[in-house]
Amino acid sequence: MRFRNRSILLFITALWLGGCSGPPALRTLAQDAVAAMGGAEKLQGVKTLAMKGGTGTRLRMGQMVKATDQENPAQLKDVVDIADLGNGRASLDYALQLGGFMQHRHEILTKKGDKSIGIEIVGTRPIIATTPGGLFSWGTQNSPEFLLRRNVVTIALSAAESASDRQPAIDKELNGKMYKYGTAQTKSGEDLGLYFDPQTRLLAAYEVIDTESILGDVPAQYILSDYKTADGLTLPHHITVRKGGKDYSDVQFVSIAVNDPATEQVFAIPDSAAEEADKAAAGDEYSPMKIVKVGNGVYHAVGYSHHTLIVEFPQWLALVDSPYTETQAKVLFRAIQEQFPTKPVKFVAVSHHHYDHIGGVRTSAAMGATILVEKGNEPVLRPLLEARHTHPQDELDKRRNSQPAQQAGAIEVYEGKKIISEGGQSLELYPVSFPEHVDPMVLAYASSARALFQPDLYTPPAAANGGPPAQHLLQALKQLNLRVDTMVGGHGGIGTFADFLKAAAPAASSN
Protein backbone atom coordinates (compact mmCIF):
# COMPACT_ATOMS: atom_id res chain seq x y z
CA MET A 1 0.00 0.00 0.00
CA ARG A 2 2.87 2.30 0.93
CA PHE A 3 4.52 1.53 -2.43
CA ARG A 4 1.28 2.32 -4.29
CA ASN A 5 0.84 5.68 -2.53
CA ARG A 6 4.44 6.56 -3.30
CA SER A 7 3.88 5.70 -6.99
CA ILE A 8 0.81 7.92 -7.16
CA LEU A 9 2.76 10.77 -5.56
CA LEU A 10 5.61 10.38 -8.05
CA PHE A 11 3.12 10.32 -10.92
CA ILE A 12 1.43 13.55 -9.74
CA THR A 13 4.82 15.21 -9.27
CA ALA A 14 5.82 14.23 -12.80
CA LEU A 15 2.64 15.69 -14.19
CA TRP A 16 3.23 18.94 -12.31
CA LEU A 17 6.82 19.14 -13.49
CA GLY A 18 5.70 18.41 -17.02
CA GLY A 19 3.17 21.23 -16.81
CA CYS A 20 5.81 23.60 -15.50
CA SER A 21 8.12 22.81 -18.40
CA GLY A 22 5.44 23.57 -20.99
CA PRO A 23 5.00 26.85 -22.88
CA PRO A 24 5.05 29.88 -20.55
CA ALA A 25 1.82 31.74 -19.90
CA LEU A 26 1.31 34.96 -21.83
CA ARG A 27 1.31 37.08 -18.70
CA THR A 28 4.68 35.65 -17.71
CA LEU A 29 6.11 36.61 -21.10
CA ALA A 30 4.62 40.11 -20.87
CA GLN A 31 5.94 40.59 -17.34
CA ASP A 32 9.34 39.29 -18.42
CA ALA A 33 9.36 41.87 -21.23
CA VAL A 34 8.57 44.64 -18.76
CA ALA A 35 11.38 43.40 -16.52
CA ALA A 36 13.80 43.32 -19.46
CA MET A 37 12.93 46.94 -20.24
CA GLY A 38 13.77 48.03 -16.69
CA GLY A 39 10.90 46.84 -14.53
CA ALA A 40 7.30 47.85 -13.93
CA GLU A 41 8.13 50.53 -11.37
CA LYS A 42 10.49 52.35 -13.73
CA LEU A 43 8.11 52.08 -16.67
CA GLN A 44 5.23 53.37 -14.59
CA GLY A 45 7.44 56.31 -13.66
CA VAL A 46 7.82 57.39 -17.29
CA LYS A 47 6.04 60.70 -17.78
CA THR A 48 7.63 61.83 -21.04
CA LEU A 49 9.39 60.03 -23.88
CA ALA A 50 11.34 62.17 -26.35
CA MET A 51 12.64 60.21 -29.35
CA LYS A 52 15.18 62.34 -31.20
CA GLY A 53 17.32 62.47 -34.33
CA GLY A 54 15.05 60.26 -36.38
CA THR A 55 15.62 59.49 -40.05
CA GLY A 56 13.60 57.21 -42.29
CA THR A 57 10.65 57.01 -44.65
CA ARG A 58 6.92 57.59 -44.73
CA LEU A 59 4.30 56.18 -47.11
CA ARG A 60 0.47 56.15 -47.26
CA MET A 61 0.47 59.91 -47.92
CA GLY A 62 -1.75 59.55 -50.97
CA GLN A 63 0.28 61.75 -53.35
CA MET A 64 0.30 59.42 -56.37
CA VAL A 65 -0.16 60.83 -59.87
CA LYS A 66 -2.82 58.24 -60.68
CA ALA A 67 -5.02 56.78 -57.97
CA THR A 68 -3.79 53.27 -58.84
CA ASP A 69 -0.07 54.11 -58.97
CA GLN A 70 2.37 52.61 -56.51
CA GLU A 71 3.29 55.21 -53.94
CA ASN A 72 6.85 56.52 -53.64
CA PRO A 73 8.24 56.86 -50.11
CA ALA A 74 8.84 60.30 -48.66
CA GLN A 75 12.07 60.89 -46.76
CA LEU A 76 11.88 61.90 -43.11
CA LYS A 77 14.73 63.53 -41.22
CA ASP A 78 15.26 65.48 -38.00
CA VAL A 79 12.35 63.55 -36.53
CA VAL A 80 11.48 64.28 -32.90
CA ASP A 81 8.50 62.38 -31.48
CA ILE A 82 7.45 63.33 -27.94
CA ALA A 83 4.79 61.60 -25.85
CA ASP A 84 3.82 63.27 -22.58
CA LEU A 85 2.09 60.31 -20.98
CA GLY A 86 1.49 62.11 -17.72
CA ASN A 87 -0.48 65.00 -19.23
CA GLY A 88 -1.97 63.59 -22.44
CA ARG A 89 0.15 65.70 -24.79
CA ALA A 90 2.20 64.72 -27.84
CA SER A 91 4.29 66.25 -30.60
CA LEU A 92 5.42 65.25 -34.11
CA ASP A 93 8.29 67.40 -35.44
CA TYR A 94 10.02 66.47 -38.72
CA ALA A 95 11.34 67.53 -42.09
CA LEU A 96 9.69 65.85 -45.09
CA GLN A 97 10.83 65.46 -48.68
CA LEU A 98 8.84 63.82 -51.46
CA GLY A 99 10.50 64.32 -54.83
CA GLY A 100 10.95 68.08 -55.20
CA PHE A 101 8.47 68.86 -52.42
CA MET A 102 10.11 69.76 -49.09
CA GLN A 103 8.43 70.93 -45.91
CA HIS A 104 9.17 71.24 -42.22
CA ARG A 105 6.11 70.36 -40.16
CA HIS A 106 5.33 70.34 -36.46
CA GLU A 107 1.98 69.12 -35.13
CA ILE A 108 1.42 69.49 -31.41
CA LEU A 109 -1.34 68.07 -29.23
CA THR A 110 -1.25 70.24 -26.12
CA LYS A 111 -3.62 71.65 -23.53
CA LYS A 112 -5.08 74.98 -22.54
CA GLY A 113 -6.27 74.45 -19.01
CA ASP A 114 -7.84 71.03 -19.04
CA LYS A 115 -8.94 71.25 -22.71
CA SER A 116 -6.92 69.48 -25.41
CA ILE A 117 -6.09 71.62 -28.45
CA GLY A 118 -3.87 71.27 -31.49
CA ILE A 119 -1.12 73.60 -32.72
CA GLU A 120 0.06 73.30 -36.32
CA ILE A 121 3.36 74.85 -37.44
CA VAL A 122 4.10 74.32 -41.13
CA GLY A 123 6.89 76.06 -43.02
CA THR A 124 6.22 79.77 -43.49
CA ARG A 125 2.46 79.52 -42.92
CA PRO A 126 0.92 81.31 -39.95
CA ILE A 127 0.85 79.19 -36.79
CA ILE A 128 -2.71 78.08 -36.05
CA ALA A 129 -4.68 76.43 -33.28
CA THR A 130 -7.45 73.91 -33.74
CA THR A 131 -9.33 71.29 -31.83
CA PRO A 132 -7.35 68.01 -31.87
CA GLY A 133 -9.21 66.54 -34.85
CA GLY A 134 -7.95 69.41 -36.99
CA LEU A 135 -4.34 68.22 -36.87
CA PHE A 136 -2.98 66.65 -40.05
CA SER A 137 0.38 64.91 -40.09
CA TRP A 138 2.80 63.31 -42.54
CA GLY A 139 5.19 62.33 -39.75
CA THR A 140 5.64 58.90 -38.20
CA GLN A 141 1.89 58.85 -37.52
CA ASN A 142 -1.30 60.37 -38.91
CA SER A 143 -1.78 62.41 -35.74
CA PRO A 144 0.32 63.09 -32.61
CA GLU A 145 -2.44 61.49 -30.52
CA PHE A 146 -1.22 58.08 -31.77
CA LEU A 147 1.99 58.53 -29.77
CA LEU A 148 0.01 58.38 -26.53
CA ARG A 149 -1.58 55.01 -27.39
CA ARG A 150 1.07 53.39 -29.59
CA ASN A 151 4.28 53.75 -27.60
CA VAL A 152 6.22 50.79 -26.25
CA VAL A 153 5.88 51.79 -22.57
CA THR A 154 2.09 51.99 -22.65
CA ILE A 155 1.76 48.82 -24.73
CA ALA A 156 4.15 46.78 -22.56
CA LEU A 157 2.45 47.79 -19.31
CA SER A 158 -1.00 47.10 -20.76
CA ALA A 159 0.12 43.66 -21.94
CA ALA A 160 1.56 42.78 -18.51
CA GLU A 161 -1.76 43.69 -16.89
CA SER A 162 -4.18 42.14 -19.37
CA ALA A 163 -2.44 39.07 -20.81
CA SER A 164 -3.82 35.72 -19.67
CA ASP A 165 -2.00 33.89 -16.88
CA ARG A 166 -3.46 30.58 -18.14
CA GLN A 167 -3.22 30.78 -21.91
CA PRO A 168 0.17 29.57 -23.19
CA ALA A 169 2.05 31.36 -25.91
CA ILE A 170 2.31 29.85 -29.37
CA ASP A 171 5.16 29.90 -31.85
CA LYS A 172 4.56 32.36 -34.67
CA GLU A 173 6.80 33.57 -37.49
CA LEU A 174 7.38 37.23 -38.27
CA ASN A 175 9.77 38.42 -40.98
CA GLY A 176 11.50 35.04 -41.12
CA LYS A 177 12.03 34.61 -37.37
CA MET A 178 10.06 32.64 -34.80
CA TYR A 179 8.61 34.41 -31.76
CA LYS A 180 6.37 33.59 -28.83
CA TYR A 181 2.96 35.02 -29.68
CA GLY A 182 -0.18 35.77 -27.73
CA THR A 183 -2.94 38.30 -27.25
CA ALA A 184 -3.82 40.95 -24.71
CA GLN A 185 -5.64 44.28 -24.62
CA THR A 186 -4.76 47.96 -24.44
CA LYS A 187 -6.00 50.05 -21.52
CA SER A 188 -8.92 51.18 -23.68
CA GLY A 189 -9.91 47.58 -24.49
CA GLU A 190 -8.44 47.26 -28.00
CA ASP A 191 -7.17 43.80 -28.94
CA LEU A 192 -3.39 43.37 -29.11
CA GLY A 193 -1.29 40.70 -30.80
CA LEU A 194 2.13 40.41 -29.12
CA TYR A 195 5.43 38.95 -30.37
CA PHE A 196 8.07 38.23 -27.72
CA ASP A 197 11.70 37.47 -28.54
CA PRO A 198 12.59 34.26 -26.66
CA GLN A 199 16.30 35.20 -26.55
CA THR A 200 16.09 38.80 -25.31
CA ARG A 201 12.64 38.45 -23.63
CA LEU A 202 11.81 41.86 -25.15
CA LEU A 203 8.64 42.80 -27.02
CA ALA A 204 9.61 42.48 -30.68
CA ALA A 205 6.35 43.59 -32.29
CA TYR A 206 2.67 44.13 -31.68
CA GLU A 207 -0.46 44.21 -33.80
CA VAL A 208 -3.59 46.32 -33.32
CA ILE A 209 -6.36 47.97 -35.33
CA ASP A 210 -5.62 51.62 -36.07
CA THR A 211 -8.23 54.09 -37.29
CA GLU A 212 -6.62 56.37 -39.87
CA SER A 213 -8.37 59.54 -41.04
CA ILE A 214 -8.23 58.43 -44.69
CA LEU A 215 -7.65 54.68 -44.55
CA GLY A 216 -10.18 54.02 -41.78
CA ASP A 217 -9.84 50.89 -39.64
CA VAL A 218 -6.70 49.05 -40.74
CA PRO A 219 -4.69 46.23 -39.16
CA ALA A 220 -1.45 47.83 -37.99
CA GLN A 221 1.83 46.15 -37.14
CA TYR A 222 4.54 47.85 -35.06
CA ILE A 223 7.98 46.22 -35.28
CA LEU A 224 10.40 47.22 -32.50
CA SER A 225 14.16 46.76 -32.81
CA ASP A 226 17.53 48.23 -31.88
CA TYR A 227 16.80 48.16 -28.16
CA LYS A 228 19.33 50.33 -26.31
CA THR A 229 19.68 51.81 -22.85
CA ALA A 230 18.04 55.21 -22.35
CA ASP A 231 18.03 56.78 -18.89
CA GLY A 232 18.01 53.43 -17.13
CA LEU A 233 15.46 51.80 -19.42
CA THR A 234 15.91 49.52 -22.42
CA LEU A 235 13.86 50.95 -25.28
CA PRO A 236 13.57 50.37 -29.06
CA HIS A 237 15.28 53.01 -31.20
CA HIS A 238 14.05 51.64 -34.53
CA ILE A 239 10.30 51.49 -35.18
CA THR A 240 8.75 50.13 -38.35
CA VAL A 241 5.01 50.51 -38.93
CA ARG A 242 2.87 48.69 -41.48
CA LYS A 243 -0.82 49.47 -41.94
CA GLY A 244 -3.27 47.57 -44.06
CA GLY A 245 -0.49 45.18 -45.06
CA LYS A 246 1.63 47.97 -46.58
CA ASP A 247 4.65 49.92 -45.39
CA TYR A 248 3.67 53.06 -43.51
CA SER A 249 6.68 54.52 -41.65
CA ASP A 250 10.16 53.34 -40.81
CA VAL A 251 12.34 55.52 -38.56
CA GLN A 252 15.66 55.02 -36.79
CA PHE A 253 16.15 57.31 -33.79
CA VAL A 254 19.54 58.39 -32.46
CA SER A 255 18.50 58.82 -28.84
CA ILE A 256 15.59 58.72 -26.39
CA ALA A 257 15.26 61.02 -23.38
CA VAL A 258 13.03 59.96 -20.49
CA ASN A 259 11.35 62.57 -18.26
CA ASP A 260 13.39 65.41 -19.76
CA PRO A 261 12.15 68.77 -18.31
CA ALA A 262 13.11 70.49 -21.58
CA THR A 263 10.15 68.86 -23.35
CA GLU A 264 7.80 71.18 -21.47
CA GLN A 265 8.64 74.10 -23.74
CA VAL A 266 7.46 72.14 -26.80
CA PHE A 267 3.89 72.24 -25.49
CA ALA A 268 3.79 75.98 -24.80
CA ILE A 269 1.20 77.80 -26.95
CA PRO A 270 2.93 80.36 -29.22
CA ASP A 271 1.86 83.96 -28.65
CA SER A 272 0.79 84.27 -32.29
CA ALA A 273 -1.71 81.43 -31.82
CA ALA A 274 -3.01 82.49 -28.40
CA GLU A 275 -6.28 84.00 -29.68
CA GLU A 276 -7.09 80.97 -31.81
CA ALA A 277 -6.13 78.67 -28.93
CA ASP A 278 -8.82 80.39 -26.85
CA LYS A 279 -11.35 79.66 -29.59
CA ALA A 280 -10.23 76.04 -29.86
CA ALA A 281 -10.50 75.57 -26.11
CA ALA A 282 -13.95 77.19 -25.96
CA GLY A 283 -15.78 75.10 -28.57
CA ASP A 284 -16.43 71.50 -29.53
CA GLU A 285 -14.89 71.87 -32.99
CA TYR A 286 -12.67 74.70 -34.18
CA SER A 287 -10.43 75.28 -37.18
CA PRO A 288 -9.78 78.59 -38.98
CA MET A 289 -12.51 79.27 -41.53
CA LYS A 290 -14.03 82.26 -43.33
CA ILE A 291 -16.32 82.55 -46.35
CA VAL A 292 -15.43 85.19 -48.94
CA LYS A 293 -17.65 86.21 -51.85
CA VAL A 294 -16.06 85.69 -55.27
CA GLY A 295 -18.87 86.85 -57.52
CA ASN A 296 -22.49 86.21 -58.42
CA GLY A 297 -23.51 83.17 -56.36
CA VAL A 298 -19.93 81.97 -55.88
CA TYR A 299 -17.92 81.92 -52.63
CA HIS A 300 -14.51 80.87 -51.38
CA ALA A 301 -14.41 79.00 -48.05
CA VAL A 302 -10.91 79.71 -46.78
CA GLY A 303 -9.48 77.26 -44.27
CA TYR A 304 -6.00 77.10 -42.79
CA SER A 305 -4.21 76.08 -45.97
CA HIS A 306 -6.73 74.04 -48.01
CA HIS A 307 -9.89 75.67 -49.35
CA THR A 308 -13.35 74.98 -50.83
CA LEU A 309 -15.44 76.51 -53.61
CA ILE A 310 -19.12 77.14 -52.80
CA VAL A 311 -21.62 77.57 -55.64
CA GLU A 312 -25.10 78.77 -54.71
CA PHE A 313 -28.11 77.41 -56.59
CA PRO A 314 -31.73 78.54 -56.04
CA GLN A 315 -32.58 75.70 -53.61
CA TRP A 316 -29.25 74.21 -52.57
CA LEU A 317 -25.46 74.48 -52.64
CA ALA A 318 -22.68 72.61 -54.39
CA LEU A 319 -19.11 72.49 -53.09
CA VAL A 320 -15.84 71.63 -54.73
CA ASP A 321 -13.47 69.90 -52.31
CA SER A 322 -13.85 69.18 -48.61
CA PRO A 323 -10.19 69.03 -47.70
CA TYR A 324 -7.70 68.44 -44.91
CA THR A 325 -9.53 67.08 -41.83
CA GLU A 326 -12.86 66.02 -40.37
CA THR A 327 -12.74 69.01 -38.04
CA GLN A 328 -12.28 71.46 -40.90
CA ALA A 329 -15.27 69.92 -42.67
CA LYS A 330 -17.45 70.23 -39.57
CA VAL A 331 -16.46 73.88 -39.18
CA LEU A 332 -17.10 74.45 -42.90
CA PHE A 333 -20.63 73.01 -42.73
CA ARG A 334 -21.37 75.04 -39.60
CA ALA A 335 -20.25 78.25 -41.37
CA ILE A 336 -22.34 77.36 -44.42
CA GLN A 337 -25.41 76.75 -42.28
CA GLU A 338 -24.98 80.15 -40.65
CA GLN A 339 -24.63 81.96 -43.97
CA PHE A 340 -27.11 79.89 -46.00
CA PRO A 341 -29.57 78.62 -43.35
CA THR A 342 -32.23 77.45 -45.81
CA LYS A 343 -29.97 75.74 -48.33
CA PRO A 344 -28.55 72.25 -47.83
CA VAL A 345 -25.33 71.10 -49.46
CA LYS A 346 -26.51 68.78 -52.22
CA PHE A 347 -23.21 67.97 -53.92
CA VAL A 348 -19.53 67.91 -53.00
CA ALA A 349 -17.29 67.43 -56.02
CA VAL A 350 -13.76 66.09 -55.54
CA SER A 351 -10.98 67.82 -57.47
CA HIS A 352 -8.46 64.97 -57.11
CA HIS A 353 -7.54 62.01 -54.93
CA HIS A 354 -4.62 63.42 -52.91
CA TYR A 355 -5.23 62.77 -49.23
CA ASP A 356 -4.80 66.35 -48.03
CA HIS A 357 -7.66 67.43 -50.30
CA ILE A 358 -10.18 64.73 -49.31
CA GLY A 359 -9.90 64.61 -45.50
CA GLY A 360 -13.38 66.10 -45.03
CA VAL A 361 -15.23 64.04 -47.64
CA ARG A 362 -16.59 61.52 -45.12
CA THR A 363 -18.01 64.36 -43.03
CA SER A 364 -19.64 65.80 -46.15
CA ALA A 365 -21.31 62.45 -46.83
CA ALA A 366 -22.43 62.29 -43.19
CA MET A 367 -24.13 65.65 -43.72
CA GLY A 368 -26.13 64.16 -46.60
CA ALA A 369 -24.17 65.46 -49.59
CA THR A 370 -23.73 63.34 -52.70
CA ILE A 371 -20.00 62.96 -53.38
CA LEU A 372 -19.19 63.52 -57.05
CA VAL A 373 -16.10 61.56 -58.05
CA GLU A 374 -14.54 61.37 -61.50
CA LYS A 375 -13.87 57.76 -62.46
CA GLY A 376 -10.09 58.19 -62.33
CA ASN A 377 -10.28 59.16 -58.66
CA GLU A 378 -12.69 56.38 -57.66
CA PRO A 379 -10.02 53.83 -56.56
CA VAL A 380 -9.14 56.11 -53.65
CA LEU A 381 -12.49 57.74 -52.90
CA ARG A 382 -14.71 54.67 -52.82
CA PRO A 383 -12.65 52.80 -50.19
CA LEU A 384 -12.41 56.02 -48.19
CA LEU A 385 -16.19 56.39 -48.11
CA GLU A 386 -16.90 52.70 -47.46
CA ALA A 387 -14.37 52.14 -44.65
CA ARG A 388 -15.25 51.66 -40.98
CA HIS A 389 -13.97 54.32 -38.55
CA THR A 390 -14.35 53.03 -35.00
CA HIS A 391 -11.43 54.26 -32.79
CA PRO A 392 -12.57 56.98 -32.65
CA GLN A 393 -15.86 56.63 -34.48
CA ASP A 394 -16.48 59.41 -36.98
CA GLU A 395 -19.84 60.93 -37.85
CA LEU A 396 -20.35 58.88 -41.03
CA ASP A 397 -19.67 55.62 -39.20
CA LYS A 398 -22.08 56.62 -36.43
CA ARG A 399 -24.87 57.34 -38.90
CA ARG A 400 -24.42 54.18 -40.93
CA ASN A 401 -24.18 51.90 -37.91
CA SER A 402 -26.84 53.40 -35.67
CA GLN A 403 -30.06 51.46 -35.07
CA PRO A 404 -31.85 52.20 -37.28
CA ALA A 405 -29.22 53.49 -39.72
CA GLN A 406 -29.46 57.20 -40.47
CA GLN A 407 -29.42 58.64 -43.95
CA ALA A 408 -26.07 59.66 -45.42
CA GLY A 409 -24.80 60.85 -48.77
CA ALA A 410 -23.65 58.39 -51.43
CA ILE A 411 -20.87 58.39 -53.97
CA GLU A 412 -21.75 59.25 -57.59
CA VAL A 413 -19.08 58.33 -60.12
CA TYR A 414 -18.99 60.10 -63.49
CA GLU A 415 -16.63 59.94 -66.43
CA GLY A 416 -15.54 62.92 -68.47
CA LYS A 417 -17.21 66.34 -68.26
CA LYS A 418 -20.10 66.85 -65.86
CA ILE A 419 -22.36 69.91 -65.63
CA ILE A 420 -24.69 70.68 -62.74
CA SER A 421 -27.24 73.39 -63.51
CA GLU A 422 -30.41 74.85 -62.08
CA GLY A 423 -32.15 78.21 -62.25
CA GLY A 424 -29.55 79.92 -64.41
CA GLN A 425 -26.59 78.77 -62.26
CA SER A 426 -24.16 76.08 -63.34
CA LEU A 427 -21.06 74.29 -62.09
CA GLU A 428 -18.97 72.67 -64.80
CA LEU A 429 -16.47 69.92 -63.93
CA TYR A 430 -13.66 69.13 -66.37
CA PRO A 431 -11.19 66.29 -65.65
CA VAL A 432 -7.77 67.04 -67.12
CA SER A 433 -4.53 65.08 -66.93
CA PHE A 434 -1.62 66.89 -65.29
CA PRO A 435 1.08 64.17 -65.22
CA GLU A 436 3.51 66.47 -63.41
CA HIS A 437 1.17 66.36 -60.41
CA VAL A 438 -2.04 64.33 -60.69
CA ASP A 439 -4.23 62.57 -63.23
CA PRO A 440 -7.02 63.51 -63.30
CA MET A 441 -7.43 66.95 -61.80
CA VAL A 442 -11.02 68.17 -62.03
CA LEU A 443 -11.17 71.86 -62.94
CA ALA A 444 -14.33 73.51 -61.60
CA TYR A 445 -15.87 76.41 -63.51
CA ALA A 446 -18.69 78.53 -62.06
CA SER A 447 -20.25 80.28 -65.02
CA SER A 448 -22.12 83.02 -63.14
CA ALA A 449 -18.86 84.50 -61.86
CA ARG A 450 -16.62 83.24 -64.66
CA ALA A 451 -14.52 81.76 -61.90
CA LEU A 452 -12.20 78.77 -62.11
CA PHE A 453 -11.29 76.73 -59.03
CA GLN A 454 -8.33 74.34 -58.83
CA PRO A 455 -5.80 73.37 -56.18
CA ASP A 456 -2.03 72.78 -56.51
CA LEU A 457 -1.48 73.87 -60.12
CA TYR A 458 -1.54 77.62 -59.49
CA THR A 459 -1.85 79.59 -56.25
CA PRO A 460 -3.76 82.88 -56.70
CA PRO A 461 -3.15 85.78 -56.65
CA ALA A 462 0.51 85.16 -57.47
CA ALA A 463 1.84 86.74 -60.66
CA ALA A 464 5.34 85.28 -60.34
CA ASN A 465 6.32 82.49 -62.71
CA GLY A 466 4.37 79.35 -61.83
CA GLY A 467 6.42 76.96 -63.92
CA PRO A 468 5.12 73.98 -65.94
CA PRO A 469 1.97 73.32 -63.84
CA ALA A 470 0.65 76.85 -64.47
CA GLN A 471 1.63 76.69 -68.13
CA HIS A 472 -0.11 73.34 -68.53
CA LEU A 473 -3.21 74.76 -66.82
CA LEU A 474 -3.32 77.64 -69.28
CA GLN A 475 -3.14 75.21 -72.21
CA ALA A 476 -6.01 73.22 -70.74
CA LEU A 477 -8.18 76.32 -70.34
CA LYS A 478 -7.55 77.29 -73.94
CA GLN A 479 -8.51 73.79 -75.14
CA LEU A 480 -11.69 73.88 -73.03
CA ASN A 481 -12.49 77.34 -74.43
CA LEU A 482 -13.51 78.64 -71.01
CA ARG A 483 -13.92 82.36 -70.44
CA VAL A 484 -12.31 82.95 -67.06
CA ASP A 485 -12.15 86.28 -65.24
CA THR A 486 -11.27 85.06 -61.73
CA MET A 487 -8.97 82.36 -60.40
CA VAL A 488 -9.93 80.77 -57.08
CA GLY A 489 -7.39 78.62 -55.29
CA GLY A 490 -7.58 75.38 -53.40
CA HIS A 491 -4.54 77.01 -51.82
CA GLY A 492 -3.92 80.75 -51.62
CA GLY A 493 -6.74 83.17 -52.34
CA ILE A 494 -8.57 84.87 -55.20
CA GLY A 495 -6.81 86.47 -58.16
CA THR A 496 -7.42 87.87 -61.58
CA PHE A 497 -6.99 85.94 -64.78
CA ALA A 498 -4.51 88.63 -65.85
CA ASP A 499 -2.24 87.73 -62.93
CA PHE A 500 -2.56 84.08 -63.83
CA LEU A 501 -1.46 84.81 -67.41
CA LYS A 502 1.71 86.39 -66.02
CA ALA A 503 2.34 83.34 -63.84
CA ALA A 504 1.73 81.00 -66.78
CA ALA A 505 4.08 82.84 -69.16
CA PRO A 506 7.26 80.94 -70.06
CA ALA A 507 10.25 81.99 -67.98
CA ALA A 508 12.51 84.51 -69.64
CA SER A 509 15.69 83.03 -71.05
CA SER A 510 18.83 83.73 -69.03
CA ASN A 511 20.93 83.94 -72.23
Side-chain angles (χ1 to χ4, degrees):
M1 186 71 176
R2 182 182 301 172
F3 176 78
R4 180 183 178 189
N5 289 341
R6 185 180 178 187
S7 298
I8 293 172
L9 180 61
L10 288 172
F11 178 71
I12 293 173
T13 302
L15 285 177
W16 181 80
L17 289 173
C20 289
S21 64
L26 288 176
R27 181 168 295 182
T28 299
L29 288 173
Q31 291 173 343
D32 285 349
V34 167
M37 292 171 64
E41 185 175 354
K42 285 187 177 180
L43 290 186
Q44 289 165 356
V46 173
K47 302 304 178 186
T48 62
L49 281 174
M51 308 179 71
K52 303 176 181 181
T55 57
T57 56
R58 167 68 195 268
L59 287 124
R60 313 309 297 273
M61 293 171 54
Q63 300 298 300
M64 309 81 69
V65 173
K66 288 181 176 288
T68 54
D69 284 350
Q70 183 174 347
E71 194 169 2
N72 293 320
Q75 301 301 309
L76 294 175
K77 66 177 183 177
D78 303 326
V79 179
V80 180
D81 286 358
I82 301 176
D84 180 358
L85 307 179
N87 296 294
R89 303 179 299 183
S91 164
L92 296 168
D93 190 353
Y94 54 97
L96 174 86
Q97 181 173 357
L98 179 60
F101 174 80
M102 293 179 286
Q103 196 172 67
H104 175 254
R105 299 180 64 94
H106 191 185
E107 296 93 27
I108 307 162
L109 176 65
T110 188
K111 287 192 174 181
K112 185 172 179 60
D114 61 353
K115 185 69 179 290
S116 294
I117 64 169
I119 301 292
E120 193 153 298
I121 306 172
V122 180
T124 58
R125 298 174 187 168
I127 299 173
I128 62 109
T130 175
T131 43
L135 291 175
F136 176 96
S137 182
W138 278 334
T140 56
Q141 288 283 10
N142 181 228
S143 165
E145 190 271 339
F146 271 105
L147 297 181
L148 299 175
R149 296 183 289 122
R150 304 292 188 253
N151 66 83
V152 67
V153 171
T154 299
I155 294 295
L157 288 173
S158 296
E161 293 175 2
S162 63
S164 172
D165 58 0
R166 296 182 179 181
Q167 180 185 357
I170 63 172
D171 291 329
K172 190 171 182 179
E173 185 268 341
L174 176 65
N175 294 336
K177 183 177 178 179
M178 295 302 296
Y179 295 94
K180 297 298 182 181
Y181 176 85
T183 59
Q185 288 188 323
T186 67
K187 289 184 178 180
S188 62
E190 301 169 275
D191 291 332
L192 280 173
L194 303 162
Y195 294 82
F196 297 99
D197 189 320
Q199 279 75 47
T200 65
R201 300 191 304 164
L202 292 164
L203 181 63
Y206 62 92
E207 297 169 335
V208 67
I209 298 296
D210 279 354
T211 301
E212 288 273 310
S213 59
I214 300 296
L215 304 175
D217 289 1
V218 288
Q221 188 177 72
Y222 292 76
I223 302 170
L224 313 173
S225 59
D226 192 24
Y227 273 86
K228 293 187 290 190
T229 301
D231 295 330
L233 297 175
T234 301
L235 299 171
H237 287 58
H238 187 185
I239 301 176
T240 301
V241 183
R242 291 174 60 81
K243 298 195 181 190
K246 297 181 180 179
D247 292 340
Y248 186 91
S249 65
D250 182 71
V251 176
Q252 173 73 53
F253 292 94
V254 172
S255 64
I256 300 176
V258 179
N259 297 341
D260 182 0
T263 60
E264 184 63 30
Q265 63 187 2
V266 173
F267 299 107
I269 298 171
D271 291 341
S272 60
E275 185 176 344
E276 285 203 331
D278 289 339
K279 296 176 182 177
D284 293 333
E285 297 284 354
Y286 176 77
S287 183
M289 178 64 62
K290 63 179 179 179
I291 296 179
V292 179
K293 187 168 184 176
V294 175
N296 184 23
V298 180
Y299 302 82
H300 194 207
V302 181
Y304 166 45
S305 62
H306 293 60
H307 314 317
T308 298
L309 184 73
I310 303 173
V311 181
E312 183 180 14
F313 290 82
Q315 304 297 324
W316 40 267
L317 306 171
L319 312 184
V320 182
D321 278 354
S322 184
Y324 218 50
T325 64
E326 180 185 13
T327 291
Q328 177 165 319
K330 289 180 178 179
V331 173
L332 169 63
F333 272 79
R334 185 173 64 205
I336 287 174
Q337 189 173 32
E338 290 173 357
Q339 185 154 340
F340 308 95
T342 63
K343 294 186 177 182
V345 175
K346 186 175 182 179
F347 297 109
V348 174
V350 173
S351 66
H352 64 301
H353 58 262
H354 287 176
Y355 286 4
D356 52 321
H357 288 273
I358 58 177
V361 167
R362 284 180 59 89
T363 302
S364 299
M367 300 301 291
T370 295
I371 310 301
L372 300 178
V373 177
E374 208 283 331
K375 188 174 180 60
N377 294 316
E378 184 185 5
V380 169
L381 270 297
R382 185 174 292 281
L384 177 149
L385 286 164
E386 293 179 351
R388 291 297 311 272
H389 280 239
T390 60
H391 291 88
Q393 192 176 32
D394 70 0
E395 191 62 34
L396 183 59
D397 199 87
K398 290 176 184 176
R399 288 176 177 269
R400 285 179 173 164
N401 293 282
S402 62
Q403 297 297 329
Q406 299 179 40
Q407 187 173 1
I411 184 173
E412 180 182 320
V413 178
Y414 64 95
E415 189 171 7
K417 179 178 73 172
K418 183 175 180 64
I419 298 178
I420 305 166
S421 60
E422 183 183 82
Q425 178 66 286
S426 70
L427 172 62
E428 303 173 20
L429 305 174
Y430 297 94
V432 178
S433 173
F434 292 91
E436 65 270 37
H437 185 66
V438 70
D439 179 15
M441 169 73 79
V442 175
L443 306 179
Y445 179 69
S447 60
S448 63
R450 294 177 182 169
L452 185 95
F453 175 87
Q454 56 71 43
D456 295 346
L457 305 175
Y458 165 67
T459 303
N465 186 271
Q471 295 164 17
H472 191 172
L473 175 59
L474 178 59
Q475 294 173 5
L477 295 180
K478 289 179 178 179
Q479 291 173 357
L480 294 171
N481 197 29
L482 295 177
R483 182 175 177 181
V484 178
D485 293 337
T486 304
M487 302 293 287
V488 185
H491 300 290
I494 303 168
T496 65
F497 190 71
D499 282 337
F500 167 65
L501 289 177
K502 295 176 184 177
S509 174
S510 58
N511 295 330

